[in-house]
Amino acid sequence: MKIGDSGRHHAGATAEENCRCCTQCPTYQSRTSYALRAFERAVHLESFTLAAQELHITQSAVSKHIKTLESHFGCLLFVRKGHKLTVTNHGKILARDLQSAFKLRRLMPVI
């Protein structure tokens, strides 16, 4: 079975492979959710280290999440100069939209 056929994964795919095979993969969705949360916290705190501490993950995990998003969107979200972190215009747009989405999620009743 090829990737994307009927929304199912190819036989014998590992969780890591599933993350790459389609956006319907629960593992892909979970990783994307973590990456977006890490990005939002890094923007808010202006630090990968502080975001990592708040999320109880390592700084390198935050960095990997950001690199994953940058690869996915095809643009830089931060400019890094030493320990200085600056959000790009693309990053500002994503951060604004995420803040709105997270706010809506908090306001929505659990079904």
Side-chain angles (χ1 to χ4, degrees):
M1 176 179 299
K2 290 189 178 180
I3 296 168
D5 289 352
S6 304
R8 289 183 265 160
H9 304 293
H10 50 282
T14 66
E16 184 66 26
E17 290 167 331
N18 286 345
C19 286
R20 294 186 190 106
C21 75
C22 73
T23 58
Q24 299 305 309
C25 174
T27 304
Y28 173 86
Q29 292 173 350
S30 177
R31 285 187 178 206
T32 302
S33 177
Y34 285 127
L36 291 171
R37 177 57 75 181
F39 168 76
E40 188 273 334
R41 292 287 73 208
V43 169
H44 179 76
L45 298 168
E46 299 179 351
S47 167
F48 286 6
T49 301
L50 294 176
Q53 290 172 354
E54 185 174 297
L55 296 170
H56 305 285
I57 60 176
T58 64
Q59 183 274 336
S60 65
V62 171
S63 183
K64 286 179 186 178
H65 283 314
I66 302 305
K67 286 180 183 178
T68 297
L69 291 174
E70 289 175 335
S71 175
H72 176 77
F73 291 119
C75 62
L76 290 177
L77 300 173
F78 291 98
V79 174
R80 303 156 183 91
K81 289 186 180 178
H83 293 288
K84 177 81 170 134
L85 193 63
T86 305
V87 183
T88 65
N89 287 335
H90 291 292
K92 288 176 185 178
I93 292 167
L94 179 59
R96 182 195 65 216
D97 291 346
L98 280 175
Q99 288 169 352
S100 296
F102 289 148
K103 187 181 291 184
L104 280 174
R105 185 171 178 225
R106 285 191 298 270
L107 297 174
M108 292 178 66
V110 177
I111 299 175

